[in-house]
Amino acid sequence: MLFGSNGQLDRRNRLRETVQPDCHWTVSRRLGVKVFPARDWPVLLPDCPKDFLKMCTPHKSQPVDSSFQPQFSHQSSPEFVMYYANVWISIMVLVISLFVMDALNTILPEEHQKEICRYLYNHQNVDGGWGLHIEGHSTMFGTALNYVTLRLLGEDMRSGDGAIQKARTWILDHGGATYIPSWGKFWLSVLGVYEWSGNNPLPPELWLLPYIFPVHPGRMWCHCRMVYLPMSYLYRKRYVGPVNNAVLSLRKELYTHPYHQIDWQLARHQCAKEDLYFPHSLIQDIIWDGLHKFGETLLMQWPFSKLKHKALSIVMQHIHYEDENTHYVCLGPVNKVLNMLCCWVDDPNSMVVKLHLSRIKDYLWVAEDGMKMQGYNGSQLWDVSFSVQAILATNLTSNYGLMLNKAHEFIKISQIRKDGLRNISSWYRHASKGGWTFSTQDSGWPVSDCTAEGLKASLLLSQMPSDIAGEALEPRNLYDAVDLILSLQNSSGGFASYELTRSYPWLEMINPTETFGDIVIDYQYVECTSAAIQSLKSFITLYPGYRSEEIDACVKKALKFIESTQLPDGSWYGSWGVCYTYGTWFGITGLVAGGKTYENSYSIRKACDFLLSKQLSSDGWGESYRSCQDKVKSVQVCSFFPLFKELRALMNPVAFKTIANGPSDSYLFVCSSESRYTQILKGTNRIT
């Protein structure tokens, strides 16, 4: 969220609607945000207990409270309910797919649809459009697909107090839907309101290449390949949903010219300037034009047409493997919906489709502003691990014994105890055994830093009395986690997210999206590398006899990677949070965990200088999401959480030690393991 100088939620991209007294949530009133009124609130998701909303509502007086832990969850174990979503694409593609499958009203009952509409209306920009995410400027991608979503949900031109008409006006004023980026072109083609000839090629035949080729999909970042895998299936099938009255109407509403007169060859290269974050290179345009003009024609001719059927068969096998390995949750919401649609196209009456439909609710979330679809099936493991570390850092464990016990149980059952199904190398999967995912075990995709944080929390809880925290994780399971972390280190010393970095950065030249950058390969990150160092150092302290030499070598290489990726101004770019403050936090804590100090590390001194130079007049630190996209630190106008408070609340079960003096009224603090208590006295050097 963006906050103005008055401390209120910025309403520039919110419609001014009065909050109704029947709105269950009060947070919107406290922040000053105005939302569309809830209808027939509360709306309960299928299979949720009646006190669902009560359990998900924080108590005003307690910053950490066991009421956050509902009594329904993964494998019937209590866990924190966590919300992880800010972009539109998940809910848009879900509605389009269910509409095509004629399952919209079955899977999303009337009240769900009302809450989805309310969510979209609440976050419409004042110019009538929507951005890529809820804080973004209006784009053709966000506006056209949200417009289509609302129309498929039954909204007409009079709906939303003119909001629908304003959205259509924005689309037409910006050239019409032919200017939507490539992902939007794809989804409109599936729906039947855009022609497949207006898409750049998405050849599934790439999966037939030998793995040694740098462009083989198996060498790409898992999120990239798992989205383009089912997209290539639907592209080669040229699948189009039923053309009904709604589709015919949208064909008239979305374009500045009659549908049958549109030049689809020209539209293939069109993209609105508002969407153009990652412009296509000349090389990429040459590749797409060559594939479109010659490659596609050749692949349609015998004997090359046989490759089509083989490629489609292989792609569907990979889709089924992903589904089975993740219990139909899938890596993320976009590839989950795409896989479900591909399975339906392949066999609409199959059990696989029913299994997919049953896991949609894993992604749905209802809040004060309406219903949305998360960007993951939650962030349970990640948030539980940090919450455990924060609680233990307070030395108030006796107040939270039951919570720690439940959290410990969740962490234990969430660890993946075996590798993926069958021969994982045939499916281009890294080992999984011993890892933790971002969310739940069902996800099936362990992440390097999630595994590290799960290991850290497990080690801390293992040192607690069993009557408070429960039985400790077995040493062999800790060893499995260490084995996985060690296996994820690249030759550079850095750690990527899910797997080893398998190909080369120059592949970004063929990034087919216009709206996302750095998505083709799994890059190495300061956050993941720092988390790995911290977890391994914690482990070796308690288990010095297990792979100690390898751990020591791993840590030394990782420290060099962190130092080598520090920017000239002393910061690190954070890829998984906002942004330079976040990355610098991990950079410093990784170095400190590896034995570096302010006195012996030039990198830490530079990082401290950077943070102190960005301190606000309020004595805190703040940063806008724009830092992520512009790659220049964008300071937030108002800061609510000074950096040392954020660290103490979120990061480590340790105290903080002054390592650099700033102005007389402020200090910079980083984690150390020397003390359990820290008292910060403003304007002095006292620390106890």
Side-chain angles (χ1 to χ4, degrees):
M1 292 182 177
L2 292 177
F3 291 86
S5 58
N6 62 355
Q8 299 297 310
L9 191 64
D10 191 337
R11 302 179 193 150
R12 286 172 298 174
N13 64 337
R14 308 293 194 272
L15 292 178
R16 276 85 166 156
E17 287 294 320
T18 304
V19 178
Q20 298 298 306
D22 61 345
C23 184
H24 178 84
W25 288 65
T26 60
V27 64
S28 56
R29 293 199 191 104
R30 296 202 300 273
L31 293 177
V33 63
K34 297 180 180 180
V35 299
F36 268 72
R39 308 175 206 179
D40 299 319
W41 193 269
V43 179
L44 299 182
L45 301 182
D47 304 326
C48 289
K50 293 182 179 179
D51 56 348
F52 169 75
L53 289 173
K54 178 181 178 182
M55 291 186 293
C56 293
T57 305
H59 289 191
K60 294 181 182 179
S61 61
Q62 296 178 338
V64 181
D65 193 279
S66 57
S67 65
F68 273 104
Q69 290 182 304
Q71 299 303 312
F72 67 97
S73 65
H74 160 67
Q75 295 186 1
S76 302
S77 172
E79 65 183 77
F80 288 82
V81 172
M82 301 299 177
Y83 164 56
Y84 181 77
N86 277 315
V87 295
W88 309 110
I89 186 171
S90 304
I91 196 66
M92 295 185 297
V93 301
L94 175 66
V95 170
I96 291 173
S97 295
L98 292 177
F99 181 85
V100 167
M101 297 166 63
D102 195 25
L104 184 59
N105 295 327
T106 302
I107 303 303
L108 297 177
E110 180 183 359
E111 294 305 327
H112 288 64
Q113 295 185 33
K114 287 180 180 179
E115 289 302 309
I116 292 171
C117 292
R118 195 166 66 86
Y119 173 66
L120 298 183
Y121 285 139
N122 275 327
H123 296 287
Q124 186 178 26
N125 293 337
V126 294
D127 63 2
W130 286 269
L132 183 62
H133 52 84
I134 64 173
E135 300 294 349
H137 66 271
S138 296
T139 63
M140 186 62 73
F141 183 83
T143 305
L145 287 187
N146 275 323
Y147 175 86
V148 168
T149 299
L150 288 166
R151 295 287 286 116
L152 295 181
L153 291 172
E155 301 294 284
D156 58 32
M157 290 300 166
R158 297 166 296 179
S159 301
D161 293 338
I164 292 288
Q165 184 60 57
K166 287 183 67 176
R168 183 172 183 242
T169 300
W170 192 98
I171 294 169
L172 298 180
D173 286 349
H174 290 77
T178 57
Y179 283 87
I180 199 169
S182 57
W183 279 25
K185 296 179 194 296
F186 171 87
W187 282 106
L188 294 183
S189 298
V190 170
L191 181 60
V193 298
Y194 190 97
E195 293 299 307
W196 281 109
S197 58
N199 288 261
N200 281 324
L202 296 171
E205 290 79 10
L206 285 176
W207 288 89
L208 302 178
L209 292 173
Y211 184 76
I212 194 174
F213 278 61
V215 296
H216 189 284
R219 299 171 70 98
M220 297 177 182
W221 185 37
C222 57
H223 276 285
C224 180
R225 73 172 183 265
M226 299 314 293
V227 167
Y228 279 102
L229 172 76
M231 285 177 73
S232 70
Y233 180 88
L234 294 170
Y235 169 81
R236 182 58 72 221
K237 286 273 189 179
R238 300 296 199 275
Y239 178 78
V240 178
V243 179
N244 51 28
N245 289 334
V247 170
L248 293 174
S249 180
L250 285 169
R251 286 182 177 181
K252 297 177 182 178
E253 298 167 20
L254 291 171
Y255 301 103
T256 57
H257 296 89
Y259 188 78
H260 66 279
Q261 294 180 6
I262 295 174
D263 184 346
W264 298 108
Q265 173 64 18
L266 176 64
R268 191 165 57 84
H269 289 293
Q270 289 177 333
C271 181
K273 67 179 187 302
E274 293 81 4
D275 296 75
L276 204 57
Y277 177 72
F278 192 87
H280 287 177
S281 64
L282 176 62
I283 293 177
Q284 188 174 161
D285 285 336
I286 292 173
I287 291 173
W288 297 141
D289 287 341
L291 284 173
H292 182 78
K293 187 172 182 179
F294 303 108
E296 291 294 300
T297 302
L298 190 64
L299 287 170
M300 293 300 106
Q301 307 297 321
W302 187 91
F304 300 104
S305 58
K306 291 185 176 181
L307 296 176
K308 166 187 172 181
H309 302 291
K310 184 176 182 180
L312 288 175
S313 175
I314 288 177
V315 165
M316 185 52 69
Q317 291 175 40
H318 279 276
I319 289 173
H320 286 317
Y321 181 83
E322 161 72 352
D323 293 344
E324 294 170 19
N325 212 51
T326 62
H327 305 88
Y328 298 88
V329 172
C330 297
L331 178 59
V334 177
N335 86 297
K336 188 263 187 307
V337 172
L338 280 165
N339 283 12
M340 177 180 70
L341 184 57
C342 289
C343 292
W344 183 83
V345 170
D346 184 57
D347 182 0
N349 298 313
S350 68
M351 178 56 68
V352 171
V353 174
K354 296 180 175 64
L355 292 170
H356 259 299
L357 292 172
S358 71
R359 298 309 299 258
I360 287 175
K361 63 184 180 182
D362 289 58
Y363 285 95
L364 299 179
W365 185 272
V366 63
E368 75 280 0
D369 56 348
M371 180 176 283
K372 63 220 63 175
M373 191 175 186
Q374 299 189 84
Y376 223 82
N377 67 317
S379 53
Q380 293 91 324
L381 186 282
W382 181 255
D383 294 327
V384 167
S385 296
F386 276 106
S387 298
V388 165
Q389 295 173 58
I391 291 169
L392 294 180
T394 66
N395 201 38
L396 298 173
T397 53
S398 59
N399 294 4
Y400 299 101
L402 180 60
M403 176 184 285
L404 289 172
N405 191 295
K406 292 179 178 180
H408 195 187
E409 184 64 24
F410 173 73
I411 291 172
K412 287 188 289 186
I413 67 170
S414 296
Q415 188 183 29
I416 299 175
R417 300 299 172 84
K418 60 182 180 180
D419 287 327
L421 303 172
R422 301 186 285 279
N423 181 13
I424 59 174
S425 62
S426 299
W427 309 98
Y428 311 109
R429 292 289 297 269
H430 195 86
S432 302
K433 185 178 179 181
W436 278 276
T437 73
F438 186 60
S439 54
T440 64
Q441 190 187 79
D442 278 0
S443 169
W445 284 89
V447 191
S448 60
D449 55 352
C450 297
T451 300
E453 298 301 340
L455 176 60
K456 284 167 58 181
S458 298
L459 291 168
L460 287 167
L461 289 166
S462 71
Q463 300 174 69
M464 296 292 297
S466 59
D467 58 334
I468 294 178
E471 295 299 322
L473 196 64
E474 292 291 333
R476 67 175 182 276
N477 295 322
L478 299 175
Y479 298 163
D480 289 340
V482 170
D483 291 344
L484 181 63
I485 292 172
L486 291 174
S487 74
L488 286 167
Q489 187 174 41
N490 290 277
S491 58
S492 66
F495 286 77
S497 53
Y498 294 84
E499 300 160 335
L500 293 168
T501 303
R502 297 176 175 179
S503 201
Y504 308 98
W506 60 259
L507 276 179
E508 208 65 43
M509 288 192 302
I510 61 170
N511 177 353
T513 72
E514 300 87 354
T515 49
F516 307 108
D518 298 336
I519 65 166
V520 178
I521 66 172
D522 200 350
Y523 292 91
Q524 294 152 49
Y525 306 101
V526 62
E527 302 101 303
C528 298
T529 306
S530 172
I533 292 173
Q534 295 174 56
S535 64
L536 292 175
K537 293 296 286 187
S538 297
F539 172 82
I540 205 64
T541 301
L542 297 177
Y543 296 90
Y546 187 77
R547 302 186 70 175
S548 57
E549 292 184 3
E550 294 163 272
I551 290 174
D552 184 58
C554 173
V555 169
K556 288 180 179 178
K557 288 177 63 178
L559 289 171
K560 289 181 180 178
F561 172 83
I562 291 179
E563 291 172 337
S564 70
T565 55
Q566 188 176 29
L567 298 174
D569 64 358
S571 68
W572 283 269
Y573 179 84
S575 299
W576 299 102
V578 179
C579 171
Y580 291 94
T581 309
Y582 186 78
T584 303
W585 163 33
F586 274 99
I588 290 176
T589 51
L591 293 174
V592 171
K596 302 292 184 178
T597 67
Y598 182 79
E599 289 74 20
N600 67 19
S601 172
Y602 178 61
S603 291
I604 289 182
R605 293 195 295 273
K606 281 205 310 179
C608 291
D609 290 341
F610 166 78
L611 289 173
L612 289 170
S613 72
K614 302 301 181 182
Q615 189 175 22
L616 303 177
S617 58
S618 63
D619 293 341
W621 282 260
E623 190 169 354
S624 167
Y625 77 90
R626 292 187 179 93
S627 295
C628 304
Q629 63 185 38
D630 299 337
K631 298 195 174 181
V632 176
K633 182 171 172 61
S634 181
V635 177
Q636 192 78 307
V637 175
C638 181
S639 173
F640 293 93
F641 304 104
L643 179 62
F644 70 86
K645 290 185 178 179
E646 288 187 282
L647 291 173
R648 183 159 63 180
L650 298 176
M651 182 56 186
N652 279 325
V654 293
F656 298 94
K657 179 180 180 182
T658 305
I659 60 168
N661 291 342
S664 61
D665 63 345
S666 62
Y667 293 95
L668 176 68
F669 295 86
V670 299
C671 301
S672 100
S673 57
E674 297 179 7
S675 173
R676 184 62 90 167
Y677 302 94
T678 300
Q679 181 181 8
I680 302 169
L681 301 179
K682 188 175 182 181
T684 75
N685 283 327
R686 288 182 58 193
I687 183 165
T688 60

